[in-house]
């Protein structure tokens, strides 16, 4: 199909093509009753050709891969980001308790959220090693900025977050003197003004 | 629009009983003319615009004759703690009138019945799986009530949801019809609504040809209902095209 690359705006419910010719990507869906691909967002339609297997120039007819291009709709205004399991978020620690810390999610990936979502970092999700010896107050303090990954949707109250990787943990913290501390190891941060060393679960940059 | 609203009566006073009695038989004649000069199957002129409220994720403003409606959409945002856990998203709707919306100055009421009707009309069209555990709030405010308020609210709300980037199966268009004697009057104004024998409202997704809501009140015969539904569905598909052009205009402007 010779689809000219022009700026085509679509609205929800517009027909994008047949399901036998197109695969529905983001912003599109397949209606199973008539095998039609519709748009579900307002935005620009784009066609992505299928990934071609370059060594397999002549595919065997019995094992032919899916040759359909993927159609996507890029929203002109994406709504505020919604946390999904597996994504990396930036959160601010709100409260530290004996077995968990509550944090407010501020960014999902590189997109900020319009209104905060609550997250919980549980005792067993702080680091991958020596889980039994984790001390909550040696890992986080209220006001710290942490990078975490979303484990699951959690319960009705909060998403479950995890910092059990080297790249996850506290990325920014303030000392009691009010200065932003410098990470010096994976468990310690130092205040540049007073030289005071505080314990944190530090993220590897 | 300004000239037309100037000619149309913006303030309505209840007529004396003698005038009321005299006026009543006029609607039964087959050749009576509507007070704003429209034909029976003709809708009022529609003015639609998105992006009316800055602080909302999506918003839309709609004018149909004298009916003026503004809708704001917030979210997806966190559900309240009292809510149970849900794998799919939630939709909250609230329809309210301003104190100056009706000819008789009122308290500015939250309309519970309209809110539940709006919720039922919209939830069939929204892909709720795309935002699990979160809530989308829709607030509709009727600035002026000029007849057929609820269909205008529903159409404007679906426009606001599309503006907010909520994934939907299709836009939602809504039109109502009034039965006056032998005649079917589409998109009635307040005066026609007060004299109607029955009313019918259809909410449908025009591209997929599916009905999400059907409300019938008053006295109807079966062929009359069928005729009214055909009239409404035809008007809904035309309204859907107007809504699409409005969204494309806004989206193209933001792309530049």
């Amino acid at each position: 199909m010779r689809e000219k690359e022009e700026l085509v705006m679509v609205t929800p419910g517009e027909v994008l093509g047949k399901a036998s010719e197109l695969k529905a990507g983001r912003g599109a869906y397949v209606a199973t009753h008539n095998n039609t691909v519709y748009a579900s967002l307002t935005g620009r339609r784009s066609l992505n050709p299928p990934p071609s297997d370059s060594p397999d120039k002549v595919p065997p007819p019995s094992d032919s891969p899916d040759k359909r291009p993927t159609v996507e709709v890029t929203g002109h205004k994406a709504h505020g980001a919604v946390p999904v399991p597996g994504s990396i978020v930036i959160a601010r620690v709100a409260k530290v308790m004996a077995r968990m810390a509550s944090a407010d999610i501020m960014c999902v990936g590189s997109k900020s959220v319009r209104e905060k979502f609550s997250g919980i970092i549980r005792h067993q999700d702080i680091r991958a090693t020596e889980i039994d010896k984790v001390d909550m107050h040696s890992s986080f303090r209220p006001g710290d900025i942490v990078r975490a990954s979303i484990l699951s949707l959690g319960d009705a109250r909060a998403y479950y977050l995890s910092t059990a990787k080297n790249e996850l943990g506290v990325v920014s913290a303030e000392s009691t003197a009010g200065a932003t501390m410098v990470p010096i190891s994976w468990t310690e941060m130092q205040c540049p003004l007073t030289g005071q060393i505080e314990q944190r679960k530090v993220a590897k940059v | 629009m300004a000239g037309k609203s100037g000619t149309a009566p913006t303030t309505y006073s209840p007529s004396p009983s003698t005038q009321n009695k005299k006026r009543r038989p006029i609607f039964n004649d087959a050749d009576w003319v509507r007070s704003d000069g429209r034909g029976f199957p003709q809708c009022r002129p529609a003015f639609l615009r998105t992006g009316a409220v800055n602080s909302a994720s999506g918003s839309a403003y709609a004018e149909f004759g004298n009916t003026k409606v503004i809708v704001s959409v917030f979210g997806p945002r966190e559900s309240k703690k009292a809510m149970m856990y849900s794998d799919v998203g939630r939709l909250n709707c609230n329809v309210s009138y301003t104190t100056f919306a009706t000819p008789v100055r009122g308290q500015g009421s939250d309309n519970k019945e309209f809110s539940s009707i709006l919720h039922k009309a919209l939830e069939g069209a929204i892909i709720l799986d795309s935002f699990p555990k979160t809530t989308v709030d829709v607030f509709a405010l009727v600035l002026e009530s000029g007849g057929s308020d609820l269909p205008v609210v529903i159409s404007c709300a679906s426009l606001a949801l599309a503006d907010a980037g909520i994934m939907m199966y299709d836009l939602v268009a809504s039109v109502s019809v009034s039965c006056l004697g032998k005649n079917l009057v589409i998109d009635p104004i307040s005066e026609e609504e007060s004299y109607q024998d029955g009313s019918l409202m259809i909410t449908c997704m025009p591209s997929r040809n599916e009905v999400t809501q059907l409300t019938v009140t008053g006295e109807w015969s079966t062929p009359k209902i069928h005729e009214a539904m055909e009239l409404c569905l035809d008007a809904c598909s035309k309204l859907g095209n107007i809504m699409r052009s409005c969204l494309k205009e806004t989206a193209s402007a933001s792309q530049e």
Side-chain angles (χ1 to χ4, degrees):
Chain A
M1 55 193 308
R2 284 172 45 87
E3 195 72 42
K4 193 169 185 178
E5 191 61 40
E6 58 189 62
L7 195 79
V8 177
M9 309 299 295
V10 293
T11 55
E14 284 196 28
V15 176
L16 300 177
K18 280 292 179 182
S20 52
E21 302 166 3
L22 294 170
K23 273 193 297 184
R26 178 176 158 77
Y29 69 95
V30 177
T32 53
H33 70 275
N34 58 356
N35 250 19
T36 308
V37 182
Y38 291 95
S40 62
L41 281 176
T42 305
R44 179 164 31 88
R45 188 195 68 188
S46 61
L47 271 177
N48 301 326
S52 58
D53 300 328
S54 51
D56 198 7
K57 288 285 177 58
V58 184
S62 60
D63 190 25
S64 62
D66 200 343
K67 291 289 189 184
R68 297 177 297 165
T70 302
V71 63
E72 282 184 1
V73 179
T74 307
H76 75 289
K77 185 208 294 184
H79 56 63
V82 177
V84 291
S87 53
I88 304 293
V89 299
I90 305 291
R92 176 191 295 271
V93 178
K95 201 191 311 182
V96 180
M97 288 160 280
R99 299 198 60 82
M100 65 178 63
S102 75
D104 298 331
I105 295 172
M106 300 188 303
C107 293
V108 178
S110 56
K111 276 197 293 185
S112 70
V113 300
R114 294 180 78 105
E115 304 200 17
K116 72 166 185 65
F117 293 92
S118 297
I120 280 180
I121 309 174
R122 292 177 299 178
H123 179 262
Q124 60 264 37
D125 296 325
I126 290 179
R127 65 190 188 202
T129 59
E130 292 183 343
I131 297 176
D132 296 337
K133 300 180 181 177
V134 171
D135 182 17
M136 291 299 302
H137 298 282
S138 300
S139 307
F140 305 114
R141 289 298 170 110
D144 290 353
I145 309 295
V146 296
R147 189 192 300 133
S149 73
I150 298 186
L151 269 185
S152 69
L153 292 178
D155 50 16
R157 304 185 158 276
Y159 293 81
Y160 285 172
L161 307 180
S162 165
T163 57
K165 281 182 180 176
N166 290 342
E167 315 85 50
L168 306 177
V170 175
V171 295
S172 172
E174 283 189 356
S175 67
T176 51
T180 302
M181 291 194 286
V182 180
I184 55 176
S185 76
W186 75 279
T187 55
E188 291 168 343
M189 285 179 127
Q190 189 175 28
C191 177
L193 299 184
T194 63
Q196 169 115 16
I197 294 178
E198 295 191 19
Q199 306 283 318
R200 293 285 196 281
K201 202 283 176 183
V202 182
K204 178 183 176 183
V205 182
Chain B
M1 185 64 70
K4 192 163 294 209
S5 69
T7 57
T10 57
T11 304
Y12 172 78
S13 303
S15 53
S17 58
T18 55
Q19 189 175 349
N20 192 335
K21 189 175 300 181
K22 179 181 180 181
R23 196 177 206 143
R24 182 72 178 179
I26 294 180
F27 290 120
N28 293 308
D29 295 340
D31 55 352
W32 67 279
V33 181
R34 303 175 78 169
S35 60
D36 49 1
R38 286 185 285 149
F40 290 162
Q42 196 178 343
C43 289
R44 293 173 293 181
F47 175 82
L48 301 166
R49 197 61 81 239
T50 55
V53 179
N54 281 333
S55 58
S57 301
S59 57
Y61 174 77
E63 271 191 33
F64 279 64
N66 277 347
T67 303
K68 301 178 177 63
V69 170
I70 195 163
V71 177
S72 309
V73 171
F74 293 90
R77 58 185 179 183
E78 194 170 40
S79 302
K80 291 188 173 62
K81 301 236 187 279
M83 301 258 186
M84 294 277 293
Y85 177 85
S86 162
D87 265 335
V88 296
R90 262 191 208 91
L91 179 69
N92 290 333
C93 296
N94 184 69
V95 180
S96 57
Y97 279 66
T98 54
T99 56
F100 46 86
T102 48
V104 181
R105 182 179 178 88
Q107 295 292 314
S109 58
D110 272 15
N111 206 308
K112 285 290 186 293
E113 183 192 355
F114 277 15
S115 303
S116 69
I117 289 176
L118 177 62
H119 182 271
K120 265 181 279 188
L122 291 177
E123 68 175 346
I126 295 174
I127 305 177
L128 295 168
D129 303 1
S130 55
F131 46 97
K133 223 189 79 162
T134 52
T135 298
V136 168
D137 296 308
V138 178
F139 296 100
L141 189 63
V142 180
L143 299 173
E144 187 175 347
S145 169
S148 295
D149 302 334
L150 188 53
V152 178
V153 165
I154 293 171
S155 306
C156 191
S158 88
L159 212 57
L161 285 163
D163 181 53
I166 308 294
M167 292 195 178
M168 302 165 76
Y169 292 114
D170 197 352
L171 296 177
V172 174
S174 184
V175 171
S176 69
V177 155
S178 283
C179 183
L180 288 115
K182 306 182 187 64
N183 304 298
L184 291 178
V185 175
I186 202 170
D187 201 20
I189 57 176
S190 298
E191 186 186 358
E192 290 158 356
E193 273 184 342
S194 56
Y195 285 106
Q196 67 188 7
D197 300 324
S199 83
L200 181 141
M201 185 192 79
I202 278 190
T203 303
C204 73
M205 303 196 276
S207 167
R208 295 175 55 119
N209 234 355
E210 295 179 1
V211 174
T212 64
Q213 175 117 46
L214 172 66
T215 306
V216 186
T217 59
E219 305 171 6
W220 289 91
S221 60
T222 305
K224 211 96 182 161
I225 285 186
H226 185 77
E227 187 185 346
M229 286 177 71
E230 295 288 336
L231 204 58
C232 277
L233 289 172
D234 183 55
C236 279
S237 82
K238 290 190 174 70
L239 178 57
N241 292 332
I242 297 174
M243 291 161 73
R244 288 189 204 289
S245 58
C246 170
L247 281 169
K248 289 180 178 180
E249 179 184 322
T250 309
S252 300
S254 70
Q255 288 283 337
E256 292 165 3

